[in-house]
Amino acid sequence: MASLVRRIQDYYNWTLTLTDPRSKGWLLVDSPWPTLFGISGYLLMVWLGPKFMKNRKPLKLNKLLVVYNLAMAVLNFYIFWQLATASLRLNYSIFCEPCRQVWTPNEMQIVKAVWWYYFSKLLEFSDTLFFILRKKDNQLSFLHIYHHSTMFGFWWIGVKWVPSGSTAMPAIVNSFIHVLMYTYYGLSAIGPHMNKYLWWKRYLTIIQLIQFAGALILGFNGLRIDCDFPLWMQYTLCGYMVSFLVLFGRFYVNEYIEDHKKRQKEKLLSNNNNVDTIKNKNVTLNGKKHE
């Protein structure tokens, strides 16, 4: 065991020689411990939170949710804008873009935006906290917990080792989708009268699935063309996207296909019951007329 721990430590020390110096010294970046503590604290909250709220009334947080969700939409738009504008000026390729350790203003704009993207994943732990405080335990699915906990860890790796190049593209797409997502949640928190404007929730999931499929295709393409980007990052991206496609795909089927079929079946049964009730009433009325 001591030998295994020593080898792991040696391997980690070797990886430190490959880190990107541009993000050195930035908040939460240098050591893995803040990120590991953050993920551990998040999982502890998921475990203990529902127990703490079990015998308590759910909190009404509508005003806070409106402010939080719209603020997160603004933050994600800022990240998207910073990444997109700098990438366009640098003429980044969507197929393969090496991570160059240069300190030009545009490259540093991308590195800083990737750090904000990583930090936003810590802020997104609040999504789960609000579910717990409102006793929406049905929202604490494996997909939700897996998504939130792993994104924070994976993007620490990104900002520490590869904070530019091909790393920028998935962050650009995902931050834009989060603008739409948090705008949706912010509007829905205003009140039920907003529901008529929120018909597009299903399409958010479709866009997310397209995002994961696109990232997987680009990841495989990077491996195929031998892109000058860390090979381990390409494989990690591909494996991660496969897991999201499976989990989000299953969510889509359960939420929008199976649930739709269930509602249609219930509606049909309800209509049949109404018809039978009307027939029974007519029989009773006709019987009374003959008396």
Side-chain angles (χ1 to χ4, degrees), residues 146 154 212-224 231-246:
Y146 171 77
F154 274 118
F212 302 140
L216 181 61
I217 292 169
L218 289 175
F220 278 130
N221 183 67
L223 294 172
R224 183 184 64 84
L231 193 62
W232 60 269
M233 194 67 175
Q234 298 278 23
Y235 280 114
T236 300
L237 172 67
C238 291
Y240 199 40
M241 290 305 101
V242 168
S243 71
F244 275 161
L245 279 170
V246 171

Side-chain angles (χ1 to χ4, degrees), residues 252-290:
Y252 182 86
V253 169
N254 292 337
E255 184 76 10
Y256 300 111
I257 297 179
E258 295 298 332
D259 192 55
H260 176 72
K261 289 180 179 178
K262 182 180 177 181
R263 287 197 302 268
Q264 289 294 99
K265 186 177 181 180
E266 290 173 350
K267 184 178 179 181
L268 182 61
L269 289 172
S270 177
N271 290 338
N272 289 339
N273 289 336
N274 289 337
V275 170
D276 290 340
T277 301
I278 292 170
K279 286 181 178 178
N280 290 334
K281 286 183 178 179
N282 287 338
V283 169
T284 303
L285 290 172
N286 289 335
K288 287 182 178 181
K289 286 179 181 178
H290 287 294

Side-chain angles (χ1 to χ4, degrees), residues 19-38:
T19 58
D20 196 302
R22 293 173 297 176
S23 59
K24 186 177 180 180
W26 292 7
L27 182 65
L28 307 178
V29 173
D30 284 354
S31 170
W33 292 114
T35 299
L36 290 174
F37 282 137

